[in-house]
């Protein structure tokens, strides 16, 4: 091949490669520009969407807060996220479902030390059908001891307790539901009271009472007795009769066996840890809801059985509420004004029997008593200062 033609060919090949490189660079730069433009549009789109969503959420939240029926809105005057509001809720009104309430109340700190000066309190939980005919007696019992107790009332939803703003019972009704004796609704109400009381982190002991209950000792004695106890006071025993084991359903197998079945008084007193165990349980309570129906009564069997199965070492296996079953029948005796004497109250306080208190024997076994009719109020008030000492 002649030398001139070879040089021309090499020159053409060099130009071709240069064109290819320049073309690649042009495409590459164009791709970068297109990518940046696209990214900018996408970011703008999602940013606007996020702002719209945030605005929508903020508006909805603002609406829910402003349109709610709670005592106070979150504002500059009320710090809704303060430690005090979290630890000691003063407004018992809320719109939580039972499921939400039990979940919230089941929270327990792992840290033993408290970041605030904690005075342990006793939660007095009243499960009532409405009015409190013995209210003046309880008001006298509580007077002067406000730092050491909390009160919770579970009443029919439509009932409003009309008391003075100076009464310790003022504003202490919790969000309640209808209750029917002998059904699981009664046990629901007990757990609802426990859960609402657990929201206050100062509550250390929890006692269930009815509108027909009275205290048989003064407040300092009751407080010292309960706060100083190592154990909870839940009656739990094996009853081989048809009123005990006879109420057991084999449909509860294999989770609950007959030898684990227990019976006990509805009127319990328990430590905070035990209360958390009770309201946190779903599995076993569901079994009672399904299979413990009249003539099986969940309020007499669920807590005694559950504690016997899992937390028996925390329980004294007795009640601190006295009741008179001497008349027989499904309900205890009712005591009216004619029954109320100094000797009668003293017989409840020191009834001649011994019980265990922190591994020692004591004659002071009962702190409360039931059932007392409205007609007993005047006689009880006359004896409160001399016998019950309050």
């Amino acid at each position: 091949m002649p030398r001139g033609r070879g040089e021309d060919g090499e020159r053409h090949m060099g130009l071709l490669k240069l064109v290819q490189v320049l073309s690649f660079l042009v495409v590459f730069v164009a791709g970068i520009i297109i990518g940046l433009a696209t990214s900018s549009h996408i970011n703008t789109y999602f940013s606007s969407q996020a702002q719209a969503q945030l605005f929508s959420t903020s508006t909805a939240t603002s609406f829910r807060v402003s349109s709610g029926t709670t005592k106070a809105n979150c504002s500059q005057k009320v710090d809704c996220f303060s430690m005090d509001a979290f630890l000691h809720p003063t407004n018992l009104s809320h719109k939580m479902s039972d499921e939400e309430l039990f979940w919230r109340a089941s929270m327990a700190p792992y840290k033993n030390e408290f970041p605030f000066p904690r005075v342990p309190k006793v939660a007095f939980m009243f499960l009532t059908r409405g009015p409190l005919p013995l209210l003046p007696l309880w008001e006298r019992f509580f007077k002067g001891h406000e730092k050491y107790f909390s009160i919770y009332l579970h009443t029919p939803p439509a009932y409003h307790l009309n008391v003075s703003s100076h009464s310790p019972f003022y504003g202490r009704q919790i969000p309640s539901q209808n209750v029917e004796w002998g059904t699981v609704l009664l046990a629901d109400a007990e757990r609802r009271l426990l859960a609402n009381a657990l929201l206050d982190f100062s509550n250390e002991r929890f006692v269930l009472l009815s509108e027909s209950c009275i205290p048989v000792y003064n407040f300092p004695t009751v407080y010292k007795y309960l706060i100083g106890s190592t154990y909870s006071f839940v009656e739990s025993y094996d009853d081989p009769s048809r009123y005990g084991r006879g109420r057991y359903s084999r449909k509860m197998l294999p989770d609950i066996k007959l030898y684990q079945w227990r019976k006990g008084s509805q009127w319990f007193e328990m430590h905070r840890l035990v209360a958390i165990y009770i309201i946190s349980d779903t599995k076993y309570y569901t079994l009672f809801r399904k299979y413990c129906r009249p003539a099986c009564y969940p309020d007499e069997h669920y807590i005694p059985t559950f504690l016997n199965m899992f937390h028996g070492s925390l329980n004294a296996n007795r009640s601190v509420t006295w009741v008179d079953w001497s008349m027989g029948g499904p309900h205890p005796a009712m005591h009216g004004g004619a029954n109320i004497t100094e000797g009668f109250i003293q017989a409840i306080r020191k009834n001649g029997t011994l019980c265990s208190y922190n591994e020692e024997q004591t004659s002071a076994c009962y702190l409360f008593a039931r059932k007392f009719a409205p007609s007993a109020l005047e006689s009880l008030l006359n004896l409160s200062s001399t016998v019950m000492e309050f």
Side-chain angles (χ1 to χ4, degrees):
M1 178 181 297
R3 184 174 178 181
R5 295 185 58 185
E7 290 178 351
D8 290 341
E10 289 178 358
R11 189 179 300 112
H12 285 110
M13 289 296 294
L15 290 173
L16 181 61
K17 290 181 179 180
L18 179 62
V19 170
Q20 290 176 342
V21 170
L22 290 174
S23 299
F24 174 80
L25 288 174
V26 170
V27 172
F28 178 75
V29 171
I32 292 177
I33 294 172
I34 294 172
L36 289 174
T38 304
S39 175
S40 175
H41 284 296
I42 291 174
N43 288 337
T44 302
Y45 172 78
F46 280 108
S47 177
S48 63
Q49 290 296 313
Q51 290 176 359
Q53 185 177 7
L54 179 62
F55 175 78
S56 176
T57 304
S58 301
T59 304
T61 303
S62 175
F63 175 78
R64 285 196 297 270
V65 171
S66 63
S67 63
T69 58
T70 53
K71 186 176 181 179
N73 294 329
C74 293
S75 64
Q76 294 180 352
K77 295 182 180 180
V78 179
D79 183 0
C80 294
F81 291 96
S82 69
M83 280 293 287
D84 192 59
F86 175 68
L87 298 170
H88 313 291
T90 56
N91 181 18
L92 300 187
S93 177
H94 61 76
K95 294 184 179 181
M96 288 185 286
S97 65
D98 280 354
E99 183 180 3
E100 293 169 334
L101 173 65
F102 295 156
W103 177 82
R104 168 67 179 81
S106 69
M107 297 181 181
Y110 279 93
K111 190 175 180 63
N112 293 326
E113 301 82 10
F114 293 92
F116 62 98
R118 182 179 187 264
V119 177
K121 296 189 296 186
V122 177
F124 291 83
M125 308 179 303
F126 290 84
L127 178 56
T128 79
R129 290 171 289 187
L132 296 170
L134 304 176
L135 179 70
L137 182 71
W138 282 104
E139 289 178 330
R140 185 177 294 185
F141 169 78
F142 287 123
K143 187 175 181 180
H145 307 288
E146 288 74 14
K147 289 174 56 178
Y148 304 100
F149 70 86
S150 303
I151 294 175
Y152 300 86
L153 300 173
H154 190 293
T155 65
Y159 178 77
H160 174 70
L161 181 67
N162 186 18
V163 294
S164 164
S165 60
H166 300 292
S167 171
F169 289 83
Y170 179 77
R172 302 310 297 176
Q173 289 179 256
I174 68 168
S176 305
Q177 297 184 25
N178 288 315
V179 172
E180 185 178 347
W181 182 84
T183 70
V184 74
L185 298 178
L186 196 57
D188 286 341
E190 295 173 3
R191 285 158 51 90
R192 198 173 296 122
L193 277 164
L194 281 173
N196 278 277
L198 281 167
L199 297 182
D200 188 330
F201 278 78
S202 290
N203 288 330
E204 186 71 12
R205 308 289 303 205
F206 304 77
V207 56
L208 182 67
L209 302 159
S210 75
E211 71 272 17
S212 68
C213 287
I214 66 166
V216 295
Y217 288 96
N218 60 25
F219 184 89
T221 301
V222 170
Y223 180 85
K224 182 179 179 181
Y225 194 104
L226 296 180
I227 294 295
S229 175
T230 306
Y231 301 98
S232 296
F233 297 99
V234 180
E235 190 177 50
S236 178
Y237 61 94
D238 179 20
D239 181 358
S241 74
R242 64 189 180 96
Y243 301 108
R245 293 186 192 177
R247 295 174 176 176
Y248 170 77
S249 171
R250 294 183 61 83
K251 293 180 180 179
M252 295 186 177
L253 288 171
D255 298 299
I256 302 176
K257 301 174 177 60
L258 179 60
Y259 76 88
Q260 298 170 316
W261 186 258
R262 292 295 184 271
K263 182 180 178 180
S265 171
Q266 173 189 5
W267 310 102
F268 58 74
E269 191 285 333
M270 60 181 59
H271 185 272
R272 183 177 184 89
L273 181 62
V274 174
I276 292 174
Y277 288 146
I278 295 298
I279 62 98
S280 300
D281 169 52
T282 300
K283 176 179 179 179
Y284 295 92
Y285 192 68
T286 300
L287 291 174
F288 274 84
R289 177 178 289 278
K290 287 182 178 180
Y291 304 122
C292 184
R293 299 181 178 182
C296 176
Y297 306 106
D299 59 287
E300 294 183 6
H301 294 281
Y302 166 63
I303 294 179
T305 299
F306 182 76
L307 291 188
N308 172 64
M309 292 176 65
F310 301 106
H311 309 291
S313 62
L314 305 178
N315 187 27
N317 288 331
R318 66 179 179 90
S319 175
V320 288
T321 301
W322 177 88
V323 67
D324 180 8
W325 288 101
S326 63
M327 303 298 291
H331 301 287
M334 176 73 77
H335 302 286
N339 305 113
I340 310 305
T341 64
E342 180 177 346
F344 176 66
I345 300 298
Q346 291 289 15
I348 298 173
R349 289 160 56 102
K350 306 288 184 180
N351 63 2
T353 60
L354 294 176
C355 58
S356 176
Y357 178 81
N358 290 350
E359 315 299 346
E360 296 182 359
Q361 295 296 298
T362 179
S363 60
C365 300
Y366 299 108
L367 305 178
F368 313 99
R370 58 182 300 266
K371 299 175 65 174
F372 290 82
S375 61
L377 176 61
E378 184 176 354
S379 299
L380 289 168
L381 289 173
N382 291 335
L383 292 174
S384 66
S385 61
T386 57
V387 181
M388 288 94 89
E389 301 175 350
F390 63 83

